[in-house]
Amino acid sequence: MTALRRFATNKLAVVGAVALAILVLFALLGPLVYPTEQVATDLGAANLPPGVDGHPLGTDALGYDNLGRLMVAGRVSLLVGVLAGALATVVGTLWGAVAGYVGGVVDAVMMRVVDAGIAIPAIFLLLVLSTIVRPTVGMMIVVLGMVSWLVPARLIRAEALSVRTRDYVVAARAMGATHRRTVLSHVIPNTVGTVVVNATFQVADAILLVAYISFLGMGIQPPTTDWGAMLNDGINYIYQGAWWLILPPGLAIVVVVCALNFVGDGLRDVVDVKGRTA
């Protein structure tokens, strides 16, 4: 309860949490409240401005209702972001915990792998992979997760280096606990604060990365769409004054990323206070 109160004192974190909850409900429940046709095209209703023929946010170049499209695309963007962030967090946590706990040559080799991966721009790897395999939701989750685990690995490794010398870890090893049990029962649980905080940033980064790729036309392919793909489709009509094709998905990306960062900052404040009072 104390941690929740401490989080609530951070106004930006509360605003971020509320905005994030609204966007999640918008994407998940919105299509149930406002059902629209998002498969069959209607070229006769293409690029209608907001408010015409019962379309609150107008229509796109294929006649899809833009508000309904925003909801459906939000589902994909949030799904990819959350699952890719979770995958990156799990892999990075395990990698960093093992490297920090074992130390020595194993640590050196494992961290050189991380350093080599960080040296290669993630966006470059994504572009290359997008030309090799057909981008699908599942593929994007795996690829984003595999290029995003490097930062959490370094963070958790630093935490593990500190945790492994603490009395309860030394005692567990002296009592015959296996390395696997020590890592899973003592090292990782005591880095959970760093893991949770970093996970929020990983989700935000994954949402941005999938938007980048889709905006370049190399992301998830139609009929599936995401907010980045909506930007890519709308940019061709921006000079015709079709602002409603660009502004809604752009704002959605900005709001969700800012909200996740605000929540992450709030969680970091809670973790930092706990660390100082421990």
Side-chain angles (χ1 to χ4, degrees):
M1 181 62 89
T2 302
L4 183 60
R5 289 176 181 173
R6 195 174 293 127
F7 180 85
T9 60
N10 189 322
K11 294 182 180 180
L12 284 179
V14 173
V15 170
V18 172
L20 189 60
I22 291 173
L23 275 174
V24 170
L25 292 175
F26 172 79
L28 295 181
L29 302 182
L32 301 178
V33 178
Y34 182 74
T36 57
E37 175 59 62
Q38 296 294 326
V39 178
T41 60
D42 184 6
L43 298 181
N47 291 336
L48 294 177
V52 175
D53 289 346
H55 300 287
L57 289 181
T59 61
D60 64 9
L62 296 177
Y64 293 129
D65 182 273
N66 213 39
L67 179 57
R69 199 72 170 163
L70 194 66
M71 297 172 181
V72 173
R75 284 183 172 183
V76 176
S77 292
L78 293 173
L79 175 67
V80 173
V82 170
L83 293 184
L87 178 61
T89 300
V90 170
V91 174
T93 298
L94 291 174
W95 189 279
V98 171
Y101 171 76
V102 176
V105 176
V106 174
D107 177 37
V109 171
M110 292 179 73
M111 295 316 295
R112 294 300 77 75
V113 173
V114 172
D115 292 340
I118 290 177
I120 303 174
I123 193 71
F124 173 76
L125 285 176
L126 289 171
L127 288 172
V128 171
L129 290 172
S130 295
T131 63
I132 298 174
V133 295
R134 185 179 185 273
T136 62
V137 172
M139 189 276 285
M140 291 298 291
I141 291 171
V142 172
V143 171
L144 286 171
M146 289 299 99
V147 300
S148 302
W149 66 271
L150 303 167
V151 172
R154 297 186 73 170
L155 291 173
I156 301 307
R157 181 253 184 181
E159 292 282 331
L161 285 173
S162 172
V163 170
R164 72 173 184 171
T165 60
R166 295 180 183 174
D167 293 341
Y168 54 84
V169 175
V170 175
R173 291 164 62 182
M175 294 173 65
T178 63
H179 293 310
R180 177 183 177 182
R181 181 170 182 176
T182 303
V183 170
L184 295 179
S185 300
H186 298 287
V187 177
I188 291 179
N190 283 281
T191 64
V192 68
T194 301
V195 171
V196 171
V197 172
N198 184 257
T200 61
F201 299 128
Q202 288 300 318
V203 173
D205 289 344
I207 291 174
L208 277 178
L209 282 173
V210 73
Y212 292 155
I213 295 298
S214 296
F215 179 71
L216 295 174
M218 304 182 72
I220 300 168
Q221 300 300 302
T224 306
T225 189
D226 60 83
W227 288 331
M230 290 183 69
L231 288 174
N232 175 263
D233 294 337
I235 197 69
N236 299 316
Y237 302 92
I238 191 64
Y239 295 111
Q240 299 177 18
W243 56 268
W244 59 90
L245 300 180
I246 295 292
L247 190 58
L251 281 176
I253 294 171
V254 170
V255 170
V256 74
V257 171
C258 288
L260 284 165
N261 279 276
F262 290 157
V263 170
D265 287 339
L267 292 174
R268 181 168 55 194
D269 291 343
V270 172
V271 172
D272 286 345
V273 171
K274 282 186 175 181
R276 290 196 297 268
T277 56

